[in-house]
Amino acid sequence: REVASELLDQQRRCEKLEEEIKLLQEELTEIEHKGRLLTEEMSELDKSISRATEDLGDKRKESTELEQNLQSIQQELENLHTAKAQSETEIRNLKDNFVDLYSRDLLAFESRMYEIRSPVSEIKERLVSLKASLSSLGSVNLMAPEEFEPVKQRFEFLSGQYDDLVKARADLVRITNEIRTESAQLFVETYNKIKKNFHNIFRRLFGGGRAELRLSDPDHVLESGIEIFAQPPGKKLENISLLSGGERTLTAIALLFATYMVKPSPFCFLDEIDAALDEANIVQLVNLLREFGTMSQFIVITHNKKTVASADTLLGITMEESGVSKAIAIRVQNENGVVHPVYVPDQPFEEEEVDYEEGRQLEANR
């Protein structure tokens, strides 16, 4: 009985122990579950701590940079305060010096400071240059206002005279240009008339051929030279200097009468114009003289018999006594008491037209 009771107690104790073991196993399972949860939480906490540590390092680095920037800004601010204080001191000294030097307040020119756009270095260079110019002027002449008035009046008087001279010069230049232009036009017109007459009279004297006048500078006709070209029958056109003596003389006679035709005069004196001509050319000259004799009176000094024989009146100079000259006048008449008839050519002469030569007078450079 005691054993059974003890066995029962043991059995009960075993059951109780089993229940406790079961409870302990459940608690152990729960503890293991909680441990896993805690392990996961700790892992998450470790990761959070790592991230927080990294963030903290970045924040510390950023904080360090901000502290450095703050220090540099503070240093710059201190420098600016120092520069400001220096500038204020310099400005104050400049104002005082300006007042001492010029007896004027610098603030009166404050508005102009905002209009300055030049660099400071350039302004300083100009200031040095102006100071040097001011120093070179020397001391101030207190009598300058009194001395300036007569000089001013003299300057105004001379300025008025100068303006009058400039105006007069402009008027003279204008009038001169007008005269030169009109003279050039008249010259070109007269020149072309003489050119045409020269060609036709040359053909009459030589029985053909042609003659030309050429301007050496058509742009300045009033200063231009005139070149003479002639082509007697059977020859080529060449300068008058290349002709024979008789041809040059006859060409010169043609030019003389061509000029004479433009503006004839009542009297014309010809001194031995036929000296270099042969008999055939003298006949041509005599016929030309008698034709022109219808509009003018020609007085010809000559030793040629043919020229003398063709005259209407002869004026001879003789010396009957030594050192005493005597003039003799003879009126030439034919057997009927009539002077030589007016010359009429056998065939009418047909004049040829020549090319009109243009010319002008350019203004001279001044």
Side-chain angles (χ1 to χ4, degrees), residues 52 118 168 209 251 264 278 293 303 320:
S118 303
T251 303
D278 56 18
H303 296 285
E320 295 181 353

Side-chain angles (χ1 to χ4, degrees), residues 107-125:
L107 293 177
F109 304 94
E110 184 177 7
S111 60
R112 296 183 58 186
M113 294 191 304
Y114 302 101
E115 300 175 0
I116 298 175
R117 298 291 183 269
S118 303
V120 177
S121 58
E122 182 179 344
I123 294 175
K124 287 184 178 179
E125 291 179 0

